[in-house]
Amino acid sequence: MRAAWAALSGGIAGFGALAFAELVAAVVVRPEAGPVTAVGGAVIDRTPPALKDFAVRNFGTNDKLVLELGILAVLALFAVAVGLLALRHRIAAPAAVLVFGAVGAVAAIGRPEGRVPDALPSVAGALAGAGVLYLLAGRLIPARPSGGRAAGRFDRRGFVVAAGVAAVASAGAGLLGRRLTSAGQADAEASRRDLGLPAPGSPAPAVPAGADLGIRGLSPFVTPNKDFYRVDTALVVPRVDAGAWRLRIHGKGVPRPVTLTFQDLLRREVVERDITLTCVSNEVGGPYVGNARWLGVHLADLLREAGVRPPSEGGPADQLVARSVDGMTTGTPVEDVMDGRAALLAVGMNGEPLPFEHGFPVRMVVPGLYGYVSACKWIRDLELTTFDAYDAYWVKRSWSRRAPVKTQARIDTPRPFASPKAGTVPVAGVAWAQHRGIVRVEVRVDGGPWHPARLAAPAGRDVWRQWVWEWPATPGGHTLEVRATDGSGATQTSRRVGTVPDGATGRHSVVVDVS
């Protein structure tokens, strides 16, 4: 029975440690310095690319939730273990809690955006947890025998009272920490809620009639914000107050460094562009691609005003390093940003301010490049440097320095293992090759001849293009395969390659059973 009480004492101590740590993070440092977030971020930072791709492929945008639940499960098991240890070693068990806290402190400091004060929540939480465990373990020690009475009973009433007080205090600390965190985010949420986006000085052309084929099961031309993919390393989505936001542009070959406020951006000419984004973790036929109408300012104009010249004009910097408030860094070729394409500092997405999940108040959008080298969210700093001098976050983890989007086509309907009826079956999907455009899509059945698909009306070379082929389906099992040709005349390869180091290749196919 004492073992069960000991396990409970470990659980209460662990709960108290986390709750007090979150309170200290909210009051003294910042919510992102909490131990679960810090350790989770450290795990992400050290995850091999193949394992990271596995998590994205199998858990999608829930990968961070799975990681957090895994961390909490490990902490719960550890808490139970030290509670049991405390039965025999009242000093060693709290010491183990302190060691665990040190791990959290090191993880917090070691993050890309880590600072020494970020260690405080883990240290404070460990001290609180160790103290609670020591107190409760003392209540489990049997009373010494006296007057001929047998030993072996512990002060159960005293333990229950102490455990109850510790649990209530921990819950109070946790609730207060959450409330203070929410209050600290209120200004950011208000700044987004109250933001009125300016009308674009250069609006995007109207979407051509026929750009959206309106076929059931086919991805819409414009991806709604709620359905737009999210792949990043932020366990806690940053809540940045637009009123306090600043962007610094500086570095090699920047004769006129500048610091901009959010209002400085809005006072400039704001443009609107339709641009499709693709994540490098997108497998062949995968879901991590979406099209949106972005509102923002031309990044090249800002750079030129700061005196930046691209390498083709003799500029000394060939890499633009963007830094996020969460410590993420992306490295973008300066030449690509300044070659005339619609490289934006975006403030709006599909007619509303950027959602927090997609980078509010400001993010980068550069057509033709995978997100990990171009689409920095929650951006705060732009530094001009060289690829030889600095490796951005994912480059340090075995991904390529340069990553133009590869030509791809995807079958959206029929779905894999569908059972359409014999007769005319629309085979439809999307194809993309940002900054080159799509000029042809072809479909074949069971490895037979290629058939040209009907393309939707073109809406620009920076957006995806819908397509459909009316298939005269016959009964039985069949394999449908698609390929696209981009504006340069290159047809996507059949060679199947994974996402590492610069994006997947191969042709998407689905198997169906026609009845």
Side-chain angles (χ1 to χ4, degrees):
M1 185 64 179
R2 273 205 314 146
W5 291 111
L8 177 62
S9 69
I12 293 173
F15 175 51
L18 287 180
F20 195 68
E22 296 297 335
L23 177 60
V24 172
V27 174
V28 181
V29 193
R30 56 198 180 99
E32 293 82 3
V36 174
T37 302
V39 171
V43 170
I44 292 174
D45 293 342
R46 291 160 178 79
T47 299
L51 184 56
K52 174 254 185 188
D53 259 17
F54 172 84
V56 171
R57 183 170 60 252
N58 289 277
F59 303 118
T61 54
N62 293 318
D63 58 339
K64 299 168 190 64
L65 175 61
V66 172
L67 175 59
E68 289 183 296
L69 291 176
I71 292 171
L72 290 174
V74 171
L75 289 175
L77 292 173
F78 176 78
V80 170
V82 295
L84 295 172
L85 177 64
L87 276 179
R88 295 181 176 274
H89 305 282
R90 189 182 178 193
I91 301 298
V97 174
L98 294 177
V99 171
F100 216 68
V103 172
V106 171
I109 296 174
R111 293 235 60 211
E113 79 283 12
R115 303 166 296 183
V116 173
D118 289 347
L120 289 176
S122 293
V123 171
L127 289 171
V132 169
L133 183 59
Y134 183 81
L135 171 67
L136 296 181
R139 297 291 183 178
L140 291 174
I141 296 176
R144 292 180 178 275
S146 60
R149 292 188 307 174
R153 297 201 171 194
F154 66 94
D155 183 7
R156 180 176 299 180
R157 182 174 181 277
F159 174 84
V160 171
V161 170
V165 170
V168 170
S170 298
L175 289 173
L176 180 58
R178 288 298 177 92
R179 185 175 293 273
L180 291 173
T181 297
S182 297
Q185 295 173 344
D187 289 343
E189 291 169 354
S191 71
R192 183 182 185 276
R193 183 179 60 249
D194 299 338
L195 175 62
L197 292 175
S202 173
V207 176
D212 195 322
L213 298 176
I215 295 172
R216 185 176 181 180
L218 175 61
S219 300
F221 178 75
V222 175
T223 308
N225 290 353
K226 65 181 179 61
D227 298 328
F228 208 95
Y229 76 90
R230 177 196 163 204
V231 178
D232 54 53
T233 63
L235 281 176
V236 176
V237 174
R239 295 291 200 270
V240 180
D241 180 359
W245 178 84
R246 298 292 184 274
L247 175 68
R248 182 182 176 216
I249 301 175
H250 63 106
K252 191 180 184 69
V254 185
R256 297 182 294 277
V258 63
T259 298
L260 300 169
T261 67
F262 190 68
Q263 289 303 316
D264 290 335
L265 278 187
L266 297 188
R267 281 191 287 267
R268 303 179 62 86
E269 182 188 29
V270 177
V271 303
E272 188 180 56
R273 298 292 183 266
D274 292 331
I275 299 171
T276 296
L277 298 186
T278 310
C279 179
V280 74
S281 294
N282 199 46
E283 298 277 355
V284 172
Y288 303 120
V289 56
N291 185 54
R293 176 158 288 191
W294 305 93
L295 185 75
V297 301
H298 282 300
L299 179 52
D301 292 346
L302 291 172
L303 295 179
R304 289 192 183 279
E305 289 176 18
V308 176
R309 291 174 293 127
S312 61
E313 298 177 14
D318 61 3
Q319 179 179 206
L320 179 65
V321 175
R323 291 185 173 86
S324 167
V325 299
D326 74 336
M328 171 58 61
T329 56
T330 63
T332 310
V334 174
E335 197 69 50
D336 291 348
V337 171
M338 303 184 73
D339 67 0
R341 72 184 70 193
L344 304 178
L345 287 180
V347 298
M349 180 180 182
N350 289 334
E352 64 176 85
L354 289 171
F356 285 111
E357 292 81 1
H358 294 291
F360 181 84
V362 183
R363 68 170 295 167
M364 274 178 62
V365 174
V366 183
L369 303 179
Y370 284 118
Y372 84 99
V373 295
S374 67
C376 184
K377 295 187 281 192
W378 314 293
I379 190 171
R380 65 170 179 83
D381 185 271
L382 287 170
E383 180 184 2
L384 277 296
T385 182
T386 65
F387 283 104
D388 289 339
Y390 184 82
D391 284 338
Y393 182 93
W394 287 114
V395 175
K396 294 175 182 177
R397 292 158 177 82
S398 302
W399 296 81
S400 294
R401 290 175 173 176
R402 301 173 187 269
V405 173
K406 296 178 178 178
T407 302
Q408 284 288 314
R410 184 182 72 199
I411 299 172
D412 285 351
T413 183
R415 307 293 294 176
F417 308 113
S419 299
K421 294 185 180 300
T424 301
V425 174
V427 180
V430 288
W432 59 90
Q434 293 93 306
H435 210 55
R436 300 184 302 278
I438 295 294
V439 298
R440 185 167 65 252
V441 173
E442 299 164 288
V443 183
R444 68 177 177 180
V445 182
D446 300 330
W450 291 101
H451 303 276
R454 175 169 61 90
L455 296 178
R461 63 178 184 169
D462 290 336
V463 298
W464 61 11
R465 198 167 181 183
Q466 295 182 352
W467 56 267
V468 61
W469 175 57
E470 302 293 344
W471 173 36
T474 57
H478 299 284
T479 298
L480 302 170
E481 184 180 3
V482 64
R483 70 180 183 184
T485 300
D486 63 34
S488 72
T491 299
Q492 71 179 95
T493 178
S494 62
R495 183 169 176 262
R496 198 82 175 207
V497 174
T499 58
V500 183
D502 60 357
T505 64
R507 296 170 184 161
H508 187 216
S509 62
V510 298
V511 175
V512 297
D513 185 15
V514 179
S515 59

